[in-house]
Amino acid sequence: MSILFSPLTLRSITFRNRIFVSPMCQYSSPDGVPGDWHLVHLGSRAVGGAGLVMVEATAVSPEGRISPDDSGIWNDAQAQAFKAIARFIKDQGAVPGIQLAHAGRKASCSAPWLGGGPLGIDERGWQPLAPSAAPFDAGHPVPRALTLDDMSQVESRFQAAARRALAAGFEVVELHMAHGYLLHEFLSPLVNRRGDDYGGSLDNRLRFPLRAARAVRAEWPEDLPVFVRISATDWVAGGWDLDQSVLLALQLKEIGVDLIDCSSGFAVPNETIPFGPGFQVPFAARIRAEAGIASGAVGCITDPAQAEQIVATGQADAVLLGRQMLRDPYWPLHAAKALGAETGWPKQYGRAR
């Protein structure tokens, strides 16, 4: 019997299988408002049999966008536009989820197909915010260091975004604490150079990300799960690492977070990441074992037998697929056939089964 295609229950939500669609930026939301592209893009993955379909990093404030056309949920018009998307995902048997994000010092960049470089003020850009006034790389703008008042406002933005996400019909919310964006910037000693209670020691660097997590958990219903995506390591000596990630996971568990989504890297430019099949799975395995919390494995997971082995051996509770789901929205249906597992097909597609 396939473990990959067995249900997973977190709080009141039961996922039909352990295949989750990883949040993947589309850079296609004018004024932060998702449209037809998102309905078809995300809806196809729900039709394709995934257990959870997660909306891309969705900005909690205008200055928290990566690009000018990132999806957002800082106003009611954006939340309203998400309603049909969340409803369609759920109608296909998948759980609708959304990742809440603030890009920090990596904000104000163009879309990848336009080069991905920093944008000037006259190019639809803006001054980013960060824990410290240190740019991401040469040629990037110097961010404005957050004041204590700014931090309180960002915390409130995360909480308000969670409230809107609930109103839009999402049943899972994930905080983005990875990939060099704002909450990861507070965690990483390579980026956080503050001299106050929010920088320096591990406890200080944890302080603001934990505030954001508490704010979201307080806003999110008790019976619905909260995920957190982390970069388990910076891949740079002296940076954020797996030992610190385990300690973070323990504190997130105490707050009421239900699953740690284990990615890595991208806090600083030019780090050396050993990409390869399942290269981040050991992070999910150790956090699951030592923090006693559900974990998700992500990164270079492409083969059904590989995904089955990850969950069947207890290395993670679920796998999150990104690029593979871009290549094949119906990967779960094909994986079920390869593994000899029973899974439902959309009735409209039954003649092709």
Side-chain angles (χ1 to χ4, degrees), residues 219-263:
E219 190 65 41
W220 202 240
E222 183 66 24
D223 65 333
L224 296 180
V226 172
F227 293 4
V228 172
R229 171 165 280 192
I230 66 168
S231 280
T233 177
D234 287 338
W235 298 110
V236 176
W240 182 258
D241 59 25
L242 184 54
D243 289 341
Q244 295 173 89
S245 292
V246 171
L247 295 173
L248 170 62
L250 284 165
Q251 295 204 40
L252 290 171
K253 180 184 176 183
E254 288 183 9
I255 288 170
V257 169
D258 300 282
L259 182 142
I260 307 297
D261 174 1
C262 300
S263 189

Side-chain angles (χ1 to χ4, degrees), residues 131 146-148 151 186-187 192-211:
L146 289 161
T147 65
L148 297 181
M151 290 162 61
F186 272 93
L187 295 172
N192 185 342
R193 304 175 188 176
R194 297 179 72 94
D196 61 5
D197 290 344
Y198 293 89
S201 70
L202 175 60
D203 285 345
N204 283 358
R205 287 182 281 112
L206 292 174
R207 197 180 308 276
F208 185 66
L210 292 176
R211 277 179 56 182

Side-chain angles (χ1 to χ4, degrees), residues 285-307:
R286 185 170 165 199
I287 284 173
R288 186 177 190 267
E290 295 188 17
I293 189 171
S295 71
V298 63
C300 299
I301 299 170
T302 59
D303 182 79
Q306 174 196 19

Side-chain angles (χ1 to χ4, degrees), residues 12-34:
S12 70
I13 298 299
T14 296
F15 305 90
R16 61 185 170 186
N17 58 50
R18 280 83 176 331
I19 302 167
F20 294 174
V21 177
S22 191
M24 294 174 286
C25 291
Q26 300 296 293
Y27 310 98
S28 301
S29 301
D31 299 318
V33 178

